[in-house]
Amino acid sequence: MDWRPGASLDMLARRAQLLARVRAFFADRLVMEVETPILAHAGVTDPHLHNLSTTCRLPAAADPVRLYLQTSPEYAMKRLLAAGSGPIYQIGRAFRDGEAGRRHNPEFTMVEWYRPGYDYQDIVEDVEDLLIWCLGIPYCSRVRYADVFRQHAGVDPLECAIEVLRDVAVRSGLNAGAPLSRDDYLDFLLGEVVAPHLGNERPTFLCDFPASQAALARLLPGDPRCAARFELFIKGLEIANGYVELTDPVEQRRRFGCDNARRAAAGLPEMVPDERLLAALDHGLSACAGVALGFDRLLMAAAGCARIDEVQAFSVTRA
Amino acid sequence: MTTYSTNQFRAGLKLMIDGDPCNVLENEYVKPGKGQAFNRVRLRNLKTGRILERTFKSGDSCEGADVVDNELQYLYADGEFWHFMNPESFEQIVAGPEAMNEAAQWLKGQETCIVTLYNGVPLTVQSPVFVNLQITETDPGVRGDTVTGGTKPAKLETGATVKVPLFIENGEVIKIDTRTGAYVSRVKE
C-alpha cells in the first residue's frame, strides 16, 4: 500500500514557508484573518461549479439537514463585510465536485481577501504586491482580455459572430460536436489558445473579462461590454481571480436567476440562492474589491511544478 | 454503435475521430476556475499511426470504434498475404502488408500475435515481444570477445537483419526484442 505523501518533505517545508509569508503580508497590511464555515445551508448557483454536500443531524431538526461544502468562502466573507468587518482575508479549504486532474484536486487551499474602498486598479496592485512579497519578482504585466484574444486567437471576443468563434475553436482542436454557447467557446480558446501565452516572462493580469463572464463582478463604467474582473496567470497557469464586487442586491438576485436558468438548460439541479447573502446586500455592502487565489497553484508556480499532487501532502488519489 | 462520455475516456479506449479509429493515450481535465470544463485527449490514429489532440466539452460523448484485439496464431505467408488462425474457433483471417508492417520480419510460423481487427479486418499486427530466431548468415565469431561491445550484422531465418555481438556464430539461435529489433541473448538449444 502506497502510504507516502505525494509531495516531497522539502516541498511541504516550502509550502509552510509560503503560507507563513502570505499571512505575514496580510498582517503587515492590517487585514484581519477570518474563518468562515465550510458547511453551509446554501451552495453556489454558478453552472460551472458543483458543490459537494453532506447531511448533518442537528438537535432541533426532525430530519438531517443538507449542507453544502463551500466552493469558495465568498458569500460568508461578504456577509462579514456587510457587518462592518473592514478588510479581511481567509486561508481555507474549498471543495469542488468533479474537479480532478493535473492542475485540479477536489479540495484545495484558497486564499481569499476583500478590501473595502478598493477600486479596480487598487486590487490589481494589491495582488501584485503580494506576488512581489511572496515570490520576490520585480513587477507584473497587465493585458486586456479582448487584446490578447485578437493577438493570439485572431478574434474579437466581444463583437465577433459565434460562428467565427466556433470555426477558430474547431481549427484549434475542439471536437466539432453539438454547438456550444458563446462563453464556452471563449473558455475553450482562453484555455487552449490564449493562456499558454500568458505569464511566461512575468506574472500577468488578464483584465476586463466579457460582461457575460462577470460572475459577481461589477461592469466597467466606461464599457459595459466588460466586467471589472481579472485573472492572474503565471506560465499559462491560472492562479487567481478577482473583481470589483457587485454590491447591488437587485442585480445579484438577477444573476442568481440567470445562473439557475442556465443550470436548468444544462440539465443541472437548480440551487437555492443564498438568502443570507442577499439579505446582507439588502442591508448594504459598501464598495469593495476581492480576490480568490489558489494557494496550491501559487506554490506550483513558485516551485516550477507541473502537477498539483507535487505540492499537496495527499491529493485525492492518496487521501 | 456504443458511445462513450468524456468521463469514460481511458487510455486504451478506441474512438472514431474524423472517420478513423483512434486509440486514447491520455485524457486530461482542463477547466478555467469560473468556466466550462473540457477534456483534452491525446489519441493515436490506428490507420496512420499519427498522434493527434482533440478537446471535448466535459460530458460530451464520442462514438466508439469497433476495434478489438485478438490473439491469433500466425500460420504462413503466401507471398501476398499473411494468414492467421483463431486457435479456439479455427477461423482464419488474412492480413495485408499495411497491417503487417514491421511484424512480418519476425514471424516464421506458429507465433501468437495480437491482431487488431477493425470491422473484422486486420488493422495492425503485433508480433510477440520476444522471438527466438536462427542466424543464417553472419561473419565468423570472434572467440572470447565478450567485452569490446562491438557488433556485426546478422541475417535471420526470416530474412530480417539485426546487429549481434562479435562472438555470435553463424547457425546460432538468438533472442530478439521485436519492439526495438535489438539482440537480447543467445538461446541454448
mmCIF file of all heavy atoms in Angstrom, chain A residues 46 48-49 74 96 98-102 104 173-175 180 184 187-188 192 215 229 238 241 243, chain B residues 16-18 26 28-38 40 53-57 60-62:
data_model
loop_
_atom_site.group_PDB
_atom_site.id
_atom_site.type_symbol
_atom_site.label_atom_id
_atom_site.label_comp_id
_atom_site.label_asym_id
_atom_site.label_seq_id
_atom_site.Cartn_x
_atom_site.Cartn_y
_atom_site.Cartn_z
ATOM 1 N N ASP A 46 -23.519 29.170 -9.697
ATOM 2 C CA ASP A 46 -22.687 29.151 -10.907
ATOM 3 C C ASP A 46 -22.783 27.785 -11.610
ATOM 4 O O ASP A 46 -22.476 26.755 -11.011
ATOM 5 C CB ASP A 46 -21.228 29.437 -10.507
ATOM 6 C CG ASP A 46 -20.328 29.637 -11.718
ATOM 7 O OD1 ASP A 46 -20.475 28.880 -12.691
ATOM 8 O OD2 ASP A 46 -19.490 30.550 -11.678
ATOM 9 N N HIS A 48 -20.989 26.311 -13.654
ATOM 10 C CA HIS A 48 -19.739 25.586 -13.872
ATOM 11 C C HIS A 48 -19.094 25.106 -12.574
ATOM 12 O O HIS A 48 -18.005 24.548 -12.587
ATOM 13 C CB HIS A 48 -18.738 26.447 -14.645
ATOM 14 C CG HIS A 48 -19.204 26.782 -16.019
ATOM 15 N ND1 HIS A 48 -19.604 25.826 -16.905
ATOM 16 C CD2 HIS A 48 -19.370 27.967 -16.643
ATOM 17 C CE1 HIS A 48 -19.978 26.407 -18.035
ATOM 18 N NE2 HIS A 48 -19.852 27.703 -17.891
ATOM 19 N N LEU A 49 -19.743 25.390 -11.437
ATOM 20 C CA LEU A 49 -19.205 24.933 -10.154
ATOM 21 C C LEU A 49 -20.217 23.983 -9.524
ATOM 22 O O LEU A 49 -21.420 24.218 -9.589
ATOM 23 C CB LEU A 49 -18.961 26.130 -9.216
ATOM 24 C CG LEU A 49 -17.879 27.113 -9.655
ATOM 25 C CD1 LEU A 49 -17.794 28.280 -8.682
ATOM 26 C CD2 LEU A 49 -16.526 26.432 -9.782
ATOM 27 N N GLU A 74 -16.712 33.034 -0.473
ATOM 28 C CA GLU A 74 -17.150 34.353 -0.916
ATOM 29 C C GLU A 74 -18.413 34.864 -0.209
ATOM 30 O O GLU A 74 -18.429 35.989 0.300
ATOM 31 C CB GLU A 74 -17.400 34.269 -2.426
ATOM 32 C CG GLU A 74 -17.863 35.560 -3.054
ATOM 33 C CD GLU A 74 -17.691 35.532 -4.567
ATOM 34 O OE1 GLU A 74 -17.338 34.479 -5.124
ATOM 35 O OE2 GLU A 74 -17.912 36.588 -5.172
ATOM 36 N N ARG A 96 -14.663 21.379 -4.722
ATOM 37 C CA ARG A 96 -15.395 21.435 -5.988
ATOM 38 C C ARG A 96 -15.547 20.029 -6.544
ATOM 39 O O ARG A 96 -14.550 19.365 -6.867
ATOM 40 C CB ARG A 96 -14.664 22.347 -6.983
ATOM 41 C CG ARG A 96 -14.670 23.786 -6.476
ATOM 42 C CD ARG A 96 -13.998 24.760 -7.389
ATOM 43 N NE ARG A 96 -14.082 26.114 -6.823
ATOM 44 C CZ ARG A 96 -13.608 27.200 -7.400
ATOM 45 N NH1 ARG A 96 -13.016 27.116 -8.575
ATOM 46 N NH2 ARG A 96 -13.738 28.370 -6.816
ATOM 47 N N GLY A 98 -16.098 17.012 -8.941
ATOM 48 C CA GLY A 98 -15.786 16.698 -10.339
ATOM 49 C C GLY A 98 -14.453 17.243 -10.825
ATOM 50 O O GLY A 98 -14.043 16.949 -11.932
ATOM 51 N N GLU A 99 -13.779 18.065 -10.009
ATOM 52 C CA GLU A 99 -12.553 18.687 -10.485
ATOM 53 C C GLU A 99 -11.340 17.913 -9.993
ATOM 54 O O GLU A 99 -10.952 18.003 -8.831
ATOM 55 C CB GLU A 99 -12.483 20.152 -10.028
ATOM 56 C CG GLU A 99 -13.660 20.958 -10.549
ATOM 57 C CD GLU A 99 -13.465 22.468 -10.432
ATOM 58 O OE1 GLU A 99 -12.355 22.906 -10.062
ATOM 59 O OE2 GLU A 99 -14.434 23.193 -10.712
ATOM 60 N N ALA A 100 -10.769 17.117 -10.866
ATOM 61 C CA ALA A 100 -9.564 16.378 -10.527
ATOM 62 C C ALA A 100 -8.742 16.214 -11.786
ATOM 63 O O ALA A 100 -9.291 15.925 -12.848
ATOM 64 C CB ALA A 100 -9.902 15.015 -9.937
ATOM 65 N N GLY A 101 -7.459 16.437 -11.678
ATOM 66 C CA GLY A 101 -6.588 16.320 -12.840
ATOM 67 C C GLY A 101 -5.210 16.836 -12.507
ATOM 68 O O GLY A 101 -4.869 16.996 -11.331
ATOM 69 N N ARG A 102 -4.441 17.098 -13.553
ATOM 70 C CA ARG A 102 -3.060 17.527 -13.348
ATOM 71 C C ARG A 102 -2.999 18.819 -12.522
ATOM 72 O O ARG A 102 -2.125 18.981 -11.679
ATOM 73 C CB ARG A 102 -2.426 17.765 -14.726
ATOM 74 C CG ARG A 102 -0.941 17.817 -14.738
ATOM 75 C CD ARG A 102 -0.402 17.504 -16.138
ATOM 76 N NE ARG A 102 -0.837 18.448 -17.144
ATOM 77 C CZ ARG A 102 -0.202 19.601 -17.415
ATOM 78 N NH1 ARG A 102 0.890 19.930 -16.743
ATOM 79 N NH2 ARG A 102 -0.657 20.420 -18.337
ATOM 80 N N HIS A 104 -5.864 20.158 -10.920
ATOM 81 C CA HIS A 104 -7.059 20.262 -10.072
ATOM 82 C C HIS A 104 -7.086 19.153 -9.031
ATOM 83 O O HIS A 104 -6.699 18.027 -9.310
ATOM 84 C CB HIS A 104 -8.334 20.119 -10.901
ATOM 85 C CG HIS A 104 -8.573 21.246 -11.863
ATOM 86 N ND1 HIS A 104 -8.026 21.273 -13.120
ATOM 87 C CD2 HIS A 104 -9.299 22.380 -11.745
ATOM 88 C CE1 HIS A 104 -8.417 22.389 -13.734
ATOM 89 N NE2 HIS A 104 -9.184 23.076 -12.917
ATOM 90 N N GLY A 173 -8.610 22.545 -32.382
ATOM 91 C CA GLY A 173 -8.640 21.230 -31.740
ATOM 92 C C GLY A 173 -9.889 20.914 -30.949
ATOM 93 O O GLY A 173 -9.960 19.868 -30.317
ATOM 94 N N LEU A 174 -10.905 21.805 -30.994
ATOM 95 C CA LEU A 174 -12.151 21.471 -30.300
ATOM 96 C C LEU A 174 -12.898 20.431 -31.119
ATOM 97 O O LEU A 174 -13.003 20.560 -32.343
ATOM 98 C CB LEU A 174 -13.026 22.723 -30.131
ATOM 99 C CG LEU A 174 -14.372 22.480 -29.422
ATOM 100 C CD1 LEU A 174 -14.149 22.127 -27.948
ATOM 101 C CD2 LEU A 174 -15.278 23.692 -29.525
ATOM 102 N N ASN A 175 -13.416 19.407 -30.480
ATOM 103 C CA ASN A 175 -14.216 18.409 -31.171
ATOM 104 C C ASN A 175 -15.478 19.070 -31.702
ATOM 105 O O ASN A 175 -16.193 19.741 -30.963
ATOM 106 C CB ASN A 175 -14.580 17.282 -30.201
ATOM 107 C CG ASN A 175 -15.266 16.145 -30.906
ATOM 108 O OD1 ASN A 175 -14.728 15.594 -31.857
ATOM 109 N ND2 ASN A 175 -16.454 15.810 -30.439
ATOM 110 N N LEU A 180 -21.738 24.859 -28.961
ATOM 111 C CA LEU A 180 -21.555 25.318 -27.585
ATOM 112 C C LEU A 180 -22.053 26.753 -27.486
ATOM 113 O O LEU A 180 -22.320 27.412 -28.491
ATOM 114 C CB LEU A 180 -20.077 25.268 -27.193
ATOM 115 C CG LEU A 180 -19.321 23.939 -27.358
ATOM 116 C CD1 LEU A 180 -17.921 24.062 -26.765
ATOM 117 C CD2 LEU A 180 -20.074 22.815 -26.696
ATOM 118 N N ASP A 184 -18.732 29.268 -23.723
ATOM 119 C CA ASP A 184 -17.981 28.006 -23.753
ATOM 120 C C ASP A 184 -16.865 28.075 -24.800
ATOM 121 O O ASP A 184 -15.748 27.610 -24.563
ATOM 122 C CB ASP A 184 -18.906 26.825 -24.064
ATOM 123 C CG ASP A 184 -19.817 26.485 -22.888
ATOM 124 O OD1 ASP A 184 -19.619 27.079 -21.801
ATOM 125 O OD2 ASP A 184 -20.708 25.636 -23.056
ATOM 126 N N ASP A 187 -14.180 30.144 -23.336
ATOM 127 C CA ASP A 187 -13.427 29.395 -22.320
ATOM 128 C C ASP A 187 -12.447 28.424 -22.975
ATOM 129 O O ASP A 187 -11.305 28.275 -22.531
ATOM 130 C CB ASP A 187 -14.384 28.605 -21.413
ATOM 131 C CG ASP A 187 -15.084 29.495 -20.402
ATOM 132 O OD1 ASP A 187 -14.580 30.606 -20.140
ATOM 133 O OD2 ASP A 187 -16.137 29.089 -19.881
ATOM 134 N N PHE A 188 -12.908 27.773 -24.039
ATOM 135 C CA PHE A 188 -12.015 26.848 -24.753
ATOM 136 C C PHE A 188 -10.812 27.606 -25.317
ATOM 137 O O PHE A 188 -9.663 27.190 -25.129
ATOM 138 C CB PHE A 188 -12.765 26.149 -25.896
ATOM 139 C CG PHE A 188 -11.844 25.413 -26.824
ATOM 140 C CD1 PHE A 188 -11.398 24.131 -26.511
ATOM 141 C CD2 PHE A 188 -11.385 26.005 -27.996
ATOM 142 C CE1 PHE A 188 -10.518 23.460 -27.348
ATOM 143 C CE2 PHE A 188 -10.499 25.335 -28.835
ATOM 144 C CZ PHE A 188 -10.074 24.061 -28.515
ATOM 145 N N GLU A 192 -6.971 26.910 -24.292
ATOM 146 C CA GLU A 192 -6.142 26.155 -25.235
ATOM 147 C C GLU A 192 -5.256 27.045 -26.110
ATOM 148 O O GLU A 192 -4.216 26.603 -26.580
ATOM 149 C CB GLU A 192 -7.028 25.299 -26.141
ATOM 150 C CG GLU A 192 -7.833 24.246 -25.403
ATOM 151 C CD GLU A 192 -6.963 23.205 -24.721
ATOM 152 O OE1 GLU A 192 -6.310 22.420 -25.422
ATOM 153 O OE2 GLU A 192 -6.927 23.193 -23.478
ATOM 154 N N ALA A 215 -19.537 36.968 -13.462
ATOM 155 C CA ALA A 215 -19.706 36.293 -12.167
ATOM 156 C C ALA A 215 -20.271 37.287 -11.162
ATOM 157 O O ALA A 215 -21.353 37.818 -11.387
ATOM 158 C CB ALA A 215 -18.405 35.662 -11.703
ATOM 159 N N ARG A 229 -13.279 42.538 -13.853
ATOM 160 C CA ARG A 229 -12.822 41.228 -13.398
ATOM 161 C C ARG A 229 -11.485 40.899 -14.053
ATOM 162 O O ARG A 229 -11.292 41.156 -15.243
ATOM 163 C CB ARG A 229 -13.856 40.164 -13.779
ATOM 164 C CG ARG A 229 -13.387 38.763 -13.455
ATOM 165 C CD ARG A 229 -14.374 37.687 -13.869
ATOM 166 N NE ARG A 229 -13.652 36.410 -13.873
ATOM 167 C CZ ARG A 229 -13.986 35.369 -14.600
ATOM 168 N NH1 ARG A 229 -15.036 35.426 -15.404
ATOM 169 N NH2 ARG A 229 -13.280 34.269 -14.561
ATOM 170 N N GLU A 238 -3.537 29.411 -14.479
ATOM 171 C CA GLU A 238 -4.443 30.359 -13.818
ATOM 172 C C GLU A 238 -4.224 30.269 -12.310
ATOM 173 O O GLU A 238 -4.320 29.191 -11.724
ATOM 174 C CB GLU A 238 -5.879 29.981 -14.194
ATOM 175 C CG GLU A 238 -6.937 30.830 -13.553
ATOM 176 C CD GLU A 238 -8.336 30.204 -13.742
ATOM 177 O OE1 GLU A 238 -8.524 29.421 -14.681
ATOM 178 O OE2 GLU A 238 -9.202 30.494 -12.907
ATOM 179 N N ASN A 241 -8.306 34.937 -9.292
ATOM 180 C CA ASN A 241 -9.426 35.592 -9.952
ATOM 181 C C ASN A 241 -9.882 36.704 -9.009
ATOM 182 O O ASN A 241 -10.026 36.477 -7.807
ATOM 183 C CB ASN A 241 -10.537 34.563 -10.150
ATOM 184 C CG ASN A 241 -11.795 35.164 -10.715
ATOM 185 O OD1 ASN A 241 -11.810 35.644 -11.836
ATOM 186 N ND2 ASN A 241 -12.855 35.161 -9.918
ATOM 187 N N TYR A 243 -12.187 40.698 -8.568
ATOM 188 C CA TYR A 243 -13.022 41.714 -9.173
ATOM 189 C C TYR A 243 -13.469 42.786 -8.191
ATOM 190 O O TYR A 243 -13.341 42.636 -6.978
ATOM 191 C CB TYR A 243 -14.240 41.140 -9.880
ATOM 192 C CG TYR A 243 -14.850 39.858 -9.385
ATOM 193 C CD1 TYR A 243 -15.620 39.811 -8.224
ATOM 194 C CD2 TYR A 243 -14.688 38.689 -10.128
ATOM 195 C CE1 TYR A 243 -16.224 38.633 -7.825
ATOM 196 C CE2 TYR A 243 -15.290 37.500 -9.725
ATOM 197 C CZ TYR A 243 -16.056 37.473 -8.571
ATOM 198 O OH TYR A 243 -16.647 36.311 -8.177
ATOM 199 N N MET B 16 -13.880 6.713 -32.644
ATOM 200 C CA MET B 16 -13.875 7.146 -34.043
ATOM 201 C C MET B 16 -13.664 8.656 -34.080
ATOM 202 O O MET B 16 -14.458 9.417 -33.536
ATOM 203 C CB MET B 16 -15.217 6.818 -34.707
ATOM 204 C CG MET B 16 -15.462 5.342 -34.945
ATOM 205 S SD MET B 16 -14.235 4.584 -36.021
ATOM 206 C CE MET B 16 -14.636 5.352 -37.590
ATOM 207 N N ILE B 17 -12.578 9.099 -34.704
ATOM 208 C CA ILE B 17 -12.313 10.532 -34.846
ATOM 209 C C ILE B 17 -12.148 10.824 -36.338
ATOM 210 O O ILE B 17 -11.277 10.238 -36.987
ATOM 211 C CB ILE B 17 -11.018 10.944 -34.093
ATOM 212 C CG1 ILE B 17 -11.087 10.556 -32.617
ATOM 213 C CG2 ILE B 17 -10.734 12.431 -34.270
ATOM 214 C CD1 ILE B 17 -11.978 11.401 -31.752
ATOM 215 N N ASP B 18 -12.980 11.722 -36.878
ATOM 216 C CA ASP B 18 -12.940 12.071 -38.302
ATOM 217 C C ASP B 18 -12.967 10.817 -39.182
ATOM 218 O O ASP B 18 -12.250 10.735 -40.187
ATOM 219 C CB ASP B 18 -11.683 12.905 -38.625
ATOM 220 C CG ASP B 18 -11.622 14.184 -37.807
ATOM 221 O OD1 ASP B 18 -12.689 14.654 -37.377
ATOM 222 O OD2 ASP B 18 -10.509 14.695 -37.592
ATOM 223 N N GLU B 26 -4.207 9.520 -23.614
ATOM 224 C CA GLU B 26 -4.205 10.341 -22.403
ATOM 225 C C GLU B 26 -5.456 11.200 -22.418
ATOM 226 O O GLU B 26 -5.880 11.652 -23.478
ATOM 227 C CB GLU B 26 -2.982 11.269 -22.482
ATOM 228 C CG GLU B 26 -2.234 11.468 -21.188
ATOM 229 C CD GLU B 26 -1.040 12.386 -21.438
ATOM 230 O OE1 GLU B 26 -0.186 12.032 -22.263
ATOM 231 O OE2 GLU B 26 -1.003 13.457 -20.809
ATOM 232 N N GLU B 28 -6.842 14.497 -20.340
ATOM 233 C CA GLU B 28 -6.522 15.487 -19.307
ATOM 234 C C GLU B 28 -7.709 16.415 -19.071
ATOM 235 O O GLU B 28 -8.316 16.925 -20.011
ATOM 236 C CB GLU B 28 -5.301 16.310 -19.715
ATOM 237 C CG GLU B 28 -4.865 17.230 -18.589
ATOM 238 C CD GLU B 28 -3.634 18.059 -18.905
ATOM 239 O OE1 GLU B 28 -3.158 17.991 -20.044
ATOM 240 O OE2 GLU B 28 -3.179 18.771 -18.003
ATOM 241 N N TYR B 29 -8.012 16.638 -17.784
ATOM 242 C CA TYR B 29 -9.114 17.522 -17.394
ATOM 243 C C TYR B 29 -8.594 18.957 -17.367
ATOM 244 O O TYR B 29 -7.603 19.240 -16.692
ATOM 245 C CB TYR B 29 -9.592 17.097 -16.006
ATOM 246 C CG TYR B 29 -10.669 17.946 -15.399
ATOM 247 C CD1 TYR B 29 -11.990 17.781 -15.777
ATOM 248 C CD2 TYR B 29 -10.372 18.893 -14.440
ATOM 249 C CE1 TYR B 29 -12.987 18.551 -15.216
ATOM 250 C CE2 TYR B 29 -11.360 19.666 -13.864
ATOM 251 C CZ TYR B 29 -12.672 19.486 -14.258
ATOM 252 O OH TYR B 29 -13.654 20.250 -13.688
ATOM 253 N N VAL B 30 -9.240 19.826 -18.132
ATOM 254 C CA VAL B 30 -8.846 21.241 -18.115
ATOM 255 C C VAL B 30 -10.074 22.095 -17.860
ATOM 256 O O VAL B 30 -11.138 21.845 -18.419
ATOM 257 C CB VAL B 30 -8.155 21.686 -19.432
ATOM 258 C CG1 VAL B 30 -6.754 21.148 -19.520
ATOM 259 C CG2 VAL B 30 -8.938 21.264 -20.659
ATOM 260 N N LYS B 31 -9.919 23.083 -16.977
ATOM 261 C CA LYS B 31 -11.083 23.909 -16.650
ATOM 262 C C LYS B 31 -10.634 25.255 -16.126
ATOM 263 O O LYS B 31 -9.827 25.313 -15.203
ATOM 264 C CB LYS B 31 -11.917 23.204 -15.575
ATOM 265 C CG LYS B 31 -13.148 23.996 -15.159
ATOM 266 C CD LYS B 31 -13.910 23.297 -14.062
ATOM 267 C CE LYS B 31 -15.190 24.051 -13.710
ATOM 268 N NZ LYS B 31 -14.934 25.440 -13.291
ATOM 269 N N PRO B 32 -11.172 26.337 -16.714
ATOM 270 C CA PRO B 32 -10.911 27.638 -16.080
ATOM 271 C C PRO B 32 -11.699 27.696 -14.774
ATOM 272 O O PRO B 32 -12.763 27.080 -14.663
ATOM 273 C CB PRO B 32 -11.428 28.648 -17.104
ATOM 274 C CG PRO B 32 -12.334 27.898 -18.010
ATOM 275 C CD PRO B 32 -12.021 26.435 -17.899
ATOM 276 N N GLY B 33 -11.191 28.432 -13.797
ATOM 277 C CA GLY B 33 -11.808 28.479 -12.472
ATOM 278 C C GLY B 33 -13.300 28.743 -12.521
ATOM 279 O O GLY B 33 -14.082 28.114 -11.822
ATOM 280 N N LYS B 34 -13.703 29.680 -13.390
ATOM 281 C CA LYS B 34 -15.113 30.073 -13.416
ATOM 282 C C LYS B 34 -15.788 29.620 -14.700
ATOM 283 O O LYS B 34 -16.855 30.118 -15.038
ATOM 284 C CB LYS B 34 -15.221 31.604 -13.326
ATOM 285 C CG LYS B 34 -14.719 32.160 -12.015
ATOM 286 C CD LYS B 34 -15.854 32.683 -11.175
ATOM 287 C CE LYS B 34 -15.373 33.092 -9.806
ATOM 288 N NZ LYS B 34 -16.325 32.713 -8.775
ATOM 289 N N GLY B 35 -15.191 28.723 -15.444
ATOM 290 C CA GLY B 35 -15.771 28.437 -16.751
ATOM 291 C C GLY B 35 -16.025 26.976 -17.023
ATOM 292 O O GLY B 35 -15.963 26.128 -16.135
ATOM 293 N N GLN B 36 -16.322 26.720 -18.284
ATOM 294 C CA GLN B 36 -16.670 25.386 -18.758
ATOM 295 C C GLN B 36 -15.468 24.434 -18.649
ATOM 296 O O GLN B 36 -14.352 24.812 -18.978
ATOM 297 C CB GLN B 36 -17.125 25.500 -20.220
ATOM 298 C CG GLN B 36 -17.382 24.184 -20.905
ATOM 299 C CD GLN B 36 -18.512 23.405 -20.239
ATOM 300 O OE1 GLN B 36 -19.557 23.966 -19.907
ATOM 301 N NE2 GLN B 36 -18.293 22.124 -20.028
ATOM 302 N N ALA B 37 -15.731 23.198 -18.220
ATOM 303 C CA ALA B 37 -14.681 22.178 -18.160
ATOM 304 C C ALA B 37 -14.556 21.473 -19.510
ATOM 305 O O ALA B 37 -15.541 21.297 -20.223
ATOM 306 C CB ALA B 37 -15.003 21.166 -17.071
ATOM 307 N N PHE B 38 -13.329 21.103 -19.858
ATOM 308 C CA PHE B 38 -13.056 20.375 -21.093
ATOM 309 C C PHE B 38 -12.158 19.188 -20.775
ATOM 310 O O PHE B 38 -11.507 19.141 -19.728
ATOM 311 C CB PHE B 38 -12.348 21.281 -22.110
ATOM 312 C CG PHE B 38 -13.198 22.415 -22.613
ATOM 313 C CD1 PHE B 38 -13.165 23.660 -21.989
ATOM 314 C CD2 PHE B 38 -14.035 22.239 -23.697
ATOM 315 C CE1 PHE B 38 -13.951 24.707 -22.446
ATOM 316 C CE2 PHE B 38 -14.832 23.285 -24.164
ATOM 317 C CZ PHE B 38 -14.787 24.513 -23.532
ATOM 318 N N ARG B 40 -8.996 17.368 -22.632
ATOM 319 C CA ARG B 40 -8.038 17.403 -23.732
ATOM 320 C C ARG B 40 -7.500 15.977 -23.900
ATOM 321 O O ARG B 40 -6.895 15.429 -22.985
ATOM 322 C CB ARG B 40 -6.904 18.371 -23.427
ATOM 323 C CG ARG B 40 -5.963 18.586 -24.607
ATOM 324 C CD ARG B 40 -4.701 19.290 -24.164
ATOM 325 N NE ARG B 40 -4.969 20.616 -23.627
ATOM 326 C CZ ARG B 40 -4.323 21.123 -22.587
ATOM 327 N NH1 ARG B 40 -3.410 20.431 -21.954
ATOM 328 N NH2 ARG B 40 -4.612 22.336 -22.168
ATOM 329 N N GLU B 53 -4.405 15.581 -31.055
ATOM 330 C CA GLU B 53 -5.052 16.068 -29.836
ATOM 331 C C GLU B 53 -6.423 16.578 -30.194
ATOM 332 O O GLU B 53 -6.599 17.250 -31.206
ATOM 333 C CB GLU B 53 -4.233 17.211 -29.207
ATOM 334 C CG GLU B 53 -3.222 16.717 -28.212
ATOM 335 C CD GLU B 53 -2.636 17.830 -27.357
ATOM 336 O OE1 GLU B 53 -3.080 18.993 -27.458
ATOM 337 O OE2 GLU B 53 -1.714 17.524 -26.595
ATOM 338 N N ARG B 54 -7.406 16.260 -29.352
ATOM 339 C CA ARG B 54 -8.757 16.730 -29.596
ATOM 340 C C ARG B 54 -9.325 17.105 -28.230
ATOM 341 O O ARG B 54 -9.090 16.390 -27.253
ATOM 342 C CB ARG B 54 -9.563 15.613 -30.247
ATOM 343 C CG ARG B 54 -10.880 16.002 -30.847
ATOM 344 C CD ARG B 54 -10.805 17.137 -31.841
ATOM 345 N NE ARG B 54 -10.067 16.852 -33.052
ATOM 346 C CZ ARG B 54 -10.592 16.365 -34.172
ATOM 347 N NH1 ARG B 54 -11.865 16.101 -34.225
ATOM 348 N NH2 ARG B 54 -9.861 16.165 -35.238
ATOM 349 N N THR B 55 -10.035 18.230 -28.171
ATOM 350 C CA THR B 55 -10.592 18.671 -26.896
ATOM 351 C C THR B 55 -12.109 18.562 -26.936
ATOM 352 O O THR B 55 -12.730 19.036 -27.878
ATOM 353 C CB THR B 55 -10.134 20.113 -26.589
ATOM 354 O OG1 THR B 55 -8.706 20.113 -26.524
ATOM 355 C CG2 THR B 55 -10.684 20.593 -25.267
ATOM 356 N N PHE B 56 -12.668 17.924 -25.920
ATOM 357 C CA PHE B 56 -14.114 17.734 -25.822
ATOM 358 C C PHE B 56 -14.653 18.548 -24.663
ATOM 359 O O PHE B 56 -14.009 18.625 -23.605
ATOM 360 C CB PHE B 56 -14.451 16.260 -25.549
ATOM 361 C CG PHE B 56 -14.111 15.325 -26.669
ATOM 362 C CD1 PHE B 56 -12.801 14.899 -26.868
ATOM 363 C CD2 PHE B 56 -15.097 14.862 -27.524
ATOM 364 C CE1 PHE B 56 -12.482 14.023 -27.903
ATOM 365 C CE2 PHE B 56 -14.787 13.996 -28.556
ATOM 366 C CZ PHE B 56 -13.475 13.575 -28.745
ATOM 367 N N LYS B 57 -15.828 19.127 -24.844
ATOM 368 C CA LYS B 57 -16.540 19.700 -23.699
ATOM 369 C C LYS B 57 -16.833 18.549 -22.732
ATOM 370 O O LYS B 57 -17.321 17.485 -23.164
ATOM 371 C CB LYS B 57 -17.841 20.325 -24.187
ATOM 372 C CG LYS B 57 -18.670 20.965 -23.096
ATOM 373 C CD LYS B 57 -19.929 21.587 -23.697
ATOM 374 C CE LYS B 57 -20.890 21.984 -22.591
ATOM 375 N NZ LYS B 57 -22.088 22.645 -23.113
ATOM 376 N N ASP B 60 -19.590 15.624 -22.996
ATOM 377 C CA ASP B 60 -19.935 15.253 -24.370
ATOM 378 C C ASP B 60 -19.537 13.807 -24.606
ATOM 379 O O ASP B 60 -18.750 13.232 -23.864
ATOM 380 C CB ASP B 60 -19.211 16.162 -25.375
ATOM 381 C CG ASP B 60 -20.014 17.424 -25.659
ATOM 382 O OD1 ASP B 60 -21.072 17.597 -25.024
ATOM 383 O OD2 ASP B 60 -19.574 18.232 -26.502
ATOM 384 N N SER B 61 -20.079 13.237 -25.676
ATOM 385 C CA SER B 61 -19.742 11.841 -25.934
ATOM 386 C C SER B 61 -19.193 11.683 -27.344
ATOM 387 O O SER B 61 -19.290 12.584 -28.173
ATOM 388 C CB SER B 61 -20.955 10.953 -25.715
ATOM 389 O OG SER B 61 -22.019 11.433 -26.492
ATOM 390 N N CYS B 62 -18.595 10.535 -27.565
ATOM 391 C CA CYS B 62 -17.948 10.258 -28.839
ATOM 392 C C CYS B 62 -18.226 8.801 -29.198
ATOM 393 O O CYS B 62 -18.298 7.940 -28.329
ATOM 394 C CB CYS B 62 -16.446 10.502 -28.709
ATOM 395 S SG CYS B 62 -15.559 10.279 -30.253
#
